[in-house]
Amino acid sequence: MSLKEQTAWRYERKYVVLGYRPAEIEILLRQLPFAWRKAHAPRWLHNIYFDSIDWHCYRANLAGSSQRYKYRLRFYGPWQNAWQPARLELKQKTGELGRKQIWELPKLDVNSPKMQLAALLDHAPHKGYAWAPKVYNCYYRQYYSALNGRLRLTLDSQQAAAAIWPSSYWQPKGEKAMDGLILELKYGPEEANLAEELAQQIPFRLSKNSKYIQAVQQCYRF
């Protein structure tokens, strides 16, 4: 398994939107600067997040650490077609900038007890922790872009989360629906001025929402 891609550093501004439907957000997008267009067919995203036994990534996020990271297993489409293919992602954060390292995992089947976590994270830069699957989440994502992709927006709806108990099968159980939509603005450092101009026209409050943190708090009691 080899590294497929490392994305460029970028900013991500997140807005938690309550009391709106996705169709109403689409109307709002037509009123924003820069002529937004649909950039990709909408689709379901599924994630299994990993953390150490003592919840290192979770605690670092809550503490506001300037250097953060997390591992997740991601796949797209309906659950019935899960893991065909999947990808392992290392998401890194330095201050407000973030990037991803991506490993493709074709024909992965987490329903097989033969799957070994050690094999998945064998290449991981953070070898000092015993990584384990902790929580699952899913949402329906719509994609938009402007200025030939220099600015991007995603809209996530129908969020749900479930705890993953220690098991070789990694099956989430007892999914819990989560309120609200997540609107996310993504852009590179060179587009900061354009993004600031756009952000002034978005009528929602900026949030430090983390889907991983929200899923953990939805599913576990500490």
Side-chain angles (χ1 to χ4, degrees):
M1 180 170 55
S2 59
L3 180 66
K4 178 195 176 185
E5 180 184 353
Q6 180 168 279
T7 63
W9 291 99
R10 70 182 184 187
Y11 290 101
E12 297 177 350
R13 290 192 180 199
K14 298 180 182 180
Y15 304 85
V16 178
V17 182
L18 300 174
Y20 285 78
R21 294 174 297 177
E24 294 172 315
I25 301 300
E26 286 196 84
I27 294 173
L28 167 68
L29 293 181
R30 298 191 197 112
Q31 302 169 358
L32 293 177
F34 310 130
W36 290 87
R37 301 176 181 274
K38 291 185 177 181
H40 193 289
R43 57 186 176 178
W44 280 97
L45 273 68
H46 305 263
N47 303 288
I48 288 180
Y49 288 93
F50 300 92
D51 211 330
S52 64
I53 293 175
D54 63 349
W55 298 88
H56 170 82
C57 298
Y58 176 81
R59 292 186 293 104
N61 191 300
L62 289 186
S65 172
S66 62
Q67 303 288 328
R68 306 192 302 276
Y69 55 87
K70 61 189 171 211
Y71 289 95
R72 68 187 176 199
L73 193 62
R74 167 168 286 185
F75 62 94
Y76 301 91
W79 178 265
Q80 292 81 356
N81 297 331
W83 323 108
Q84 304 292 334
R87 51 197 274 177
L88 179 66
E89 298 183 347
L90 166 59
K91 192 166 185 182
Q92 300 168 294
K93 224 34 184 325
T94 297
E96 297 299 318
L97 284 168
R99 71 174 180 184
K100 291 190 292 187
Q101 293 184 16
I102 299 167
W103 294 264
E104 292 290 351
L105 304 170
K107 299 182 180 179
L108 177 66
D109 181 7
V110 296
N111 296 316
S112 169
K114 295 180 181 179
M115 177 184 232
Q116 298 296 321
L117 178 61
L120 270 181
L121 297 177
D122 182 58
H123 57 274
H126 310 98
K127 295 181 181 294
Y129 299 100
W131 298 103
K134 293 290 191 177
V135 73
Y136 159 85
N137 76 347
C138 65
Y139 40 90
Y140 188 68
R141 171 164 285 183
Q142 295 167 255
Y143 301 81
Y144 305 89
S145 69
L147 303 176
N148 294 319
R150 292 161 62 192
L151 298 176
R152 293 189 294 144
L153 281 167
T154 57
L155 179 64
D156 298 334
S157 59
Q158 302 181 61
Q159 294 187 86
I164 298 181
W165 305 108
S167 165
S168 59
Y169 290 90
W170 295 5
Q171 285 285 12
K173 296 181 180 180
E175 281 186 39
K176 299 179 181 180
M178 302 172 70
D179 294 334
L181 311 175
I182 304 296
L183 184 66
E184 190 168 338
L185 171 61
K186 306 174 184 184
Y187 58 95
E190 64 279 5
E191 313 299 347
N193 290 337
L194 290 172
E196 188 60 37
E197 178 183 345
L198 174 65
Q200 292 177 8
Q201 304 299 317
I202 295 178
F204 306 117
R205 180 176 295 181
L206 192 64
S207 169
K208 291 189 177 295
N209 178 276
S210 162
K211 292 188 181 71
Y212 173 57
I213 298 298
Q214 294 298 318
V216 169
Q217 293 178 343
Q218 179 91 344
C219 299
Y220 291 90
R221 293 180 180 178
F222 289 97

